[in-house]
Amino acid sequence: MATPTTILVTRLSAMGDVAMTIPVMKQVLADNPDVEIVFVTNKNWGALCADIPRLTFYPADVKGKHKGVPGLFRLFRELKATYTISAVADLHNVLRSKIVRTFFRLTGTPVAFIDKGRDEKKALTRKENKILQPLTSTIERYGIVFRQLGLRCEMDNNQVFKPRSLPESVVKNLGARGDKKWVGLAPFATYEEKMYPLDKMEAVLASLVQQPEADVLLFGGGKEEVEKLNALASKYPGVKVVAGRFSLAEELAVISQLTVMVSMDSANMHMASLFGVPVVSVWGATHPYAGFMGYGQSMELSVQISDLECRPCSVFGNKPCFRGDHACMNWILPLQITEKVNKVLG
């Protein structure tokens, strides 16, 4: 039997970005049966990689033992001692990943890295003379990196994972799904400019709880978000808070059972996409044209104000609104969101 080709893949970033790598790596493994992948990413994201044959999760602790250049050299030495790396695919292309791939390149290992299309994205997001057109998707940009290494990667938008059974710990907390349709609601994002105002999202929630065949589940992360979601749920009997109660693996199982997810341009959109769950995605300062639409998701389910000349004003939503009124989100009516959800619910 021939020795398998082992590709080191790096993406040391936020959960949503890492979730977008999963469909691509899974497709690379399907298209190249003699390939194995060692995936180096945040130590907390291992559950995203579960149940994928020939994919090995390797945790990076960039705030601990792998911090700084000495820590990254330690990471390189660990990987070098544990695996026979045939090539490096850098899907991040930031200082940390550049340092790691350089250590490998200096030992003669081939490397390839993502072209993020920074100039195109600047043209898409600039205030004057904006060029509003769809850019190459992040998924495709990841695929290009593997092709540069001579690997096949033919993306087809197929569902990545099948729905997962609910662990007993989840059933004890949420109850069995039964014949109900589960609607996920994830109102938060890293930056305010990507968030639908919470009072307006409460109007969405108030409408959704009127659906007799549906239960609403609230998603988020972090102590402050959990507190806000618990306060929101207390007003609406039957609404269940998922945030802060389960491990990532358990939460993924819950997401896999959803009928539809309502999400900002955030990690929950990408996690739902892994299971083929339709996502009603709400876009403010950012735009699907930048290439971060959930894998396999339909633009028909996106909600956005299309006639604002200032949109998008940034790729990641990390720039303050220069208008000062956050019109890209405030002008969206709760009805626009609930109509899309009801379209999925049937």
Side-chain angles (χ1 to χ4, degrees), residues 151-182:
L151 301 172
R152 291 185 63 242
C153 180
E154 303 301 326
M155 303 304 299
D156 53 16
N157 282 340
N158 283 343
Q159 184 173 320
V160 180
F161 296 126
K162 295 178 180 178
R164 295 177 180 172
S165 299
L166 295 178
E168 186 177 339
S169 56
V170 172
V171 176
K172 283 183 178 179
N173 279 278
L174 299 182
R177 176 180 168 180
D179 295 329
K180 288 280 191 175
K181 296 178 179 179
W182 275 2

Side-chain angles (χ1 to χ4, degrees), residues 2 6 10 34 38 57 96 131 150 158 220 254 264 272 281-282 290 312 334 342:
T6 302
T10 56
D34 60 339
V38 176
F57 165 70
R96 284 191 184 112
I131 301 177
N158 283 343
V254 176
M264 309 300 101
S281 54
V282 185
N342 291 333

Side-chain angles (χ1 to χ4, degrees), residues 4 14 19 24 29 42 60 70 106-107 110 128 152 156 161 173 181 198 237 239 269 271 273 303 311:
V24 185
L29 292 169
N42 184 300
L106 291 174
T107 64
E128 307 290 341
R152 291 185 63 242
D156 53 16
F161 296 126
N173 279 278
K181 296 178 179 179
L198 199 56
V239 173
M269 170 176 63
M271 290 193 291
S273 298
V303 181
R311 283 194 68 237

Side-chain angles (χ1 to χ4, degrees), residues 130 132-133 283-289 299 302-312 327-329 331-333 336 340:
K130 186 185 298 293
L132 188 64
Q133 64 182 20
W283 301 78
T286 60
H287 199 291
Y289 280 5
M299 280 289 289
S302 66
V303 181
Q304 54 187 327
I305 301 296
S306 58
D307 54 355
L308 266 175
E309 293 183 358
C310 55
R311 283 194 68 237
C328 57
M329 280 298 192
W331 288 5
I332 294 174
L333 301 175
Q336 293 175 262
K340 302 272 188 179

Side-chain angles (χ1 to χ4, degrees), residues 252-268:
L252 286 169
V254 176
I255 289 173
S256 79
Q257 293 283 341
L258 295 178
T259 306
V260 59
M261 168 72 87
V262 180
S263 174
M264 309 300 101
D265 170 17
S266 67
N268 284 286

